[in-house]
């Protein structure tokens, strides 16, 4: 037992009872943790239980906000410190419909996509369910929220790491975040983004959470995809779309296709037409993203004009698509960039 946020209510009840405390104190404990409380603060936990938890070396909050960088457009980039000293990052985006938080699922990433900053320093470890949850608790507290008055309305698992490569912890996180007696998030407001681990997409469908599934496609054919995403060597686009269709069938949710436009790689009118052919009759919405250029990666962003042209080709062929507004450009908004900068500064 270490990170108490890894446990659900029933498990915490067992733990609390094994410590010789009454069962109902587990809910007290959970409420305090979801309110963002940590040792050393005024905390509504029975004193004898608190002492036992401290003696057991358990952790109430596995992560803390280490740095927060506010952008001119209102978005906030966070660096969090984990209990073992590792650093991860996340971003809060403010939209008209509410606050959306982008969370990380791993320290680093194994996937090493050519455009992404997260894989640059390799993979370190998976985050536990409590560490994924801890990001939401910390930011909610940062915004002045608590368990009853939640200040975050949407969660996207689009930070560093590949969520489906950390399947069990992500599944546990989903069960906790949707728990009615706690934050009670609706699955409609949760998005999982994946580089396309086809078998895990089907496993996620079978889990029955019906969250929004977002597929990072980024290429209209396998040849280009293999050039920019090493995972494409394991799963061809056809297999990914097959699994995504299964996901749509089981959950009735429309799939989001993420497509980062990269100059000279995947952004010509011909590529747009290939994408049209691939996605016609596929129940999806395409999210085009102009590459956020990353230090240490050589790929370049296309002009905004050529991104709009790409978008027009899709929409004029009845593909539902939008060009995503780029938020947080001035605060290293792209995944992994702020963490890399921090790691570099520490080395220098
Ligand atoms: N591993 C998951 C989630 C993390 S990446 C996935 O692959 O989906 C979240 C999204 O940001 C992905 O679509 C990813 O391809 C995209 N992305 C990463 N780096 C980017 C960059 N520099 N510019 C634009 N989009 C980027």
């Amino acid at each position: 037992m270490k990170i108490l946020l890894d446990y659900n209510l029933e498990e915490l009840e067992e733990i609390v009872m094994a410590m010789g405390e009454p069962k109902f104190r587990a809910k007290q404990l959970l409420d305090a943790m979801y309110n963002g409380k940590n040792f050393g603060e005024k905390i509504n936990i029975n004193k004898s239980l608190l002492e036992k938890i401290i003696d057991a070396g358990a952790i109430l909050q596995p992560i803390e906000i280490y740095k927060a960088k506010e952008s001119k457009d209102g978005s906030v980039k966070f660096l969090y410190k984990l209990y073992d000293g590792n650093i991860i990052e996340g971003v809060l985006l403010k939209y008209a419909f509410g606050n959306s938080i982008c969370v990380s699922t791993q320290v680093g990433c194994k996937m090493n996509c050519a455009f992404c900053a997260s894989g640059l320093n390799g993979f370190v470890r998976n985050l536990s369910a409590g560490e994924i949850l801890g990001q939401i608790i910390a930011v909610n507290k940062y915004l002045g929220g608590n368990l009853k008055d939640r200040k975050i309305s949407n969660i996207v698992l689009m930070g560093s790491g590949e969520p489906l490569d950390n399947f069990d912890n992500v599944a546990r996180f989903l069960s906790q975040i949707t728990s009615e007696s706690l934050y009670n998030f609706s699955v409609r407001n949760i998005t999982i983004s994946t580089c396309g681990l086809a078998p895990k997409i089907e496993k996620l469908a079978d889990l029955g959470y019906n969250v929004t599934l977002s597929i990072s496609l980024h290429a209209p054919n396998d040849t280009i995809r293999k050039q920019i995403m090493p995972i494409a060597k394991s799963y061809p686009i056809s297999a990914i779309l097959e699994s995504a269709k299964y996901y749509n069938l089981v959950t009735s949710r429309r799939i989001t296709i993420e497509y980062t436009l990269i100059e000279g790689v995947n952004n010509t009118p011909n590529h747009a037409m290939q994408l049209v052919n691939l996605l016609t009759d596929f129940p999806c919405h395409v999210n085009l993203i102009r590459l956020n250029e990353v230090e240490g990666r050589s790929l370049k962003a296309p002009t905004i004009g050529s991104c709009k042209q790409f978008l027009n080709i899709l929409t004029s062929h009845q593909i539902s698509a939008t060009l995503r507004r780029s938020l947080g450009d001035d605060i290293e908004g792209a995944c992994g960039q702020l963490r890399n900068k921090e790691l570099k500064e520490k080395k220098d």
Side-chain angles (χ1 to χ4, degrees):
M1 191 240 309
K2 216 167 185 173
I3 299 176
L4 292 177
L5 277 172
D6 283 343
Y7 300 96
N8 62 28
L9 181 60
E10 291 73 37
E11 291 161 344
L12 268 186
E13 284 172 350
E14 296 282 325
I15 291 169
V16 164
M17 285 192 293
M19 286 177 162
E21 296 286 329
K23 187 173 158 182
F24 71 86
R25 291 203 171 131
K27 180 71 170 77
Q28 250 178 16
L29 182 57
L30 262 187
D31 286 355
M33 291 192 293
Y34 275 67
N35 278 323
K37 297 290 181 186
N38 209 345
F39 301 126
E41 290 178 73
K42 195 168 170 285
I43 189 165
N44 187 21
I45 301 178
N46 173 277
K47 202 163 165 256
S48 90
L49 175 60
L50 196 58
E51 279 167 5
K52 286 173 189 166
I53 293 170
I54 293 171
D55 284 350
I59 294 165
L60 291 184
Q61 299 297 338
I63 74 166
E64 61 181 64
I65 294 176
Y66 168 62
K67 279 188 185 167
K69 228 174 152 182
E70 303 210 2
S71 164
K72 285 186 219 99
D73 60 32
S75 52
V76 190
K77 189 95 203 193
F78 295 101
L79 273 181
Y80 310 96
K81 198 173 233 167
L82 304 179
Y83 70 95
D84 64 357
N86 268 305
I87 287 173
I88 54 165
E89 67 182 88
V91 64
L92 171 78
L93 301 171
K94 294 186 177 167
Y95 293 101
F97 61 77
N99 291 327
S100 177
I101 177 177
C102 174
V103 302
S104 292
T105 52
Q106 296 179 320
V107 183
C109 188
K110 292 178 200 162
M111 301 303 154
N112 206 20
C113 299
F115 45 82
C116 181
S118 299
L120 274 174
N121 285 296
F123 173 75
V124 181
R125 70 171 175 85
N126 280 329
L127 295 184
S128 74
E131 289 175 312
I132 303 173
L133 190 57
Q135 298 169 57
I136 291 149
I137 291 174
V139 173
N140 191 40
K141 188 180 181 187
Y142 176 90
L143 293 170
N146 54 41
L147 180 57
K148 297 251 154 52
D149 181 19
R150 167 154 72 69
K151 303 283 189 200
I152 296 166
S153 53
N154 280 64
I155 300 171
V156 293
L157 278 70
M158 274 195 191
S160 295
E162 168 50 45
L164 299 187
D165 183 45
N166 184 13
F167 194 93
D168 292 344
N169 290 333
V170 166
R172 176 167 273 263
F173 161 75
L174 289 179
S175 123
Q176 288 168 316
I177 199 77
T178 54
S179 167
E180 275 177 32
S181 60
L182 295 163
Y183 275 151
N184 193 19
F185 259 90
S186 155
V187 286
R188 299 213 152 255
N189 297 335
I190 302 174
T191 299
I192 291 191
S193 181
T194 176
C195 62
L197 307 183
K200 297 283 176 60
I201 291 174
E202 295 184 20
K203 196 171 163 191
L204 184 68
D206 294 337
L207 211 58
Y209 281 108
N210 298 5
V211 295
T212 305
L213 179 70
S214 181
I215 307 238
S216 297
L217 194 65
H218 306 320
N221 61 53
D222 286 321
T223 310
I224 296 179
R225 200 160 192 268
K226 281 181 197 159
Q227 286 165 17
I228 51 176
M229 299 179 76
I231 192 69
K233 295 181 185 116
S234 307
Y235 302 107
I237 291 174
S238 57
I240 298 170
L241 292 186
E242 227 16 75
S243 300
K245 258 186 200 151
Y246 178 76
Y247 192 88
N248 168 259
L249 203 75
V250 172
T251 64
S252 306
R253 304 299 311 275
R254 187 166 73 151
I255 309 295
T256 303
I257 299 285
E258 303 279 325
Y259 194 103
T260 296
L261 291 159
I262 309 168
E263 179 58 32
V265 175
N266 63 359
N267 68 324
T268 65
N270 179 279
H271 295 144
M273 271 320 295
Q274 288 184 43
L275 195 60
V276 167
N277 291 331
L278 196 64
L279 300 179
T280 295
D281 298 329
F282 186 77
C284 69
H285 175 82
V286 179
N287 221 337
L288 296 175
I289 314 150
R290 183 168 168 257
L291 176 76
N292 208 323
E293 289 176 12
V294 168
E295 206 187 312
R297 301 278 196 201
S298 56
L299 300 171
K300 296 276 170 243
T303 61
I304 296 192
S306 90
C307 294
K308 286 187 176 158
Q309 190 190 13
F310 198 97
L311 174 69
N312 283 341
I313 296 174
L314 298 189
T315 50
S316 64
H317 289 84
Q318 284 71 52
I319 302 283
S320 160
T322 39
L323 178 62
R324 194 200 280 169
R325 193 162 59 102
S326 181
L327 291 170
D329 273 358
D330 56 327
I331 49 165
E332 278 88 27
C335 316
Q337 285 203 78
L338 194 61
R339 172 172 179 262
N340 290 351
K341 202 170 167 200
E342 181 73 22
L343 296 181
K344 194 161 166 270
E345 276 167 15
K346 283 206 163 148
K347 261 191 234 153
D348 290 347

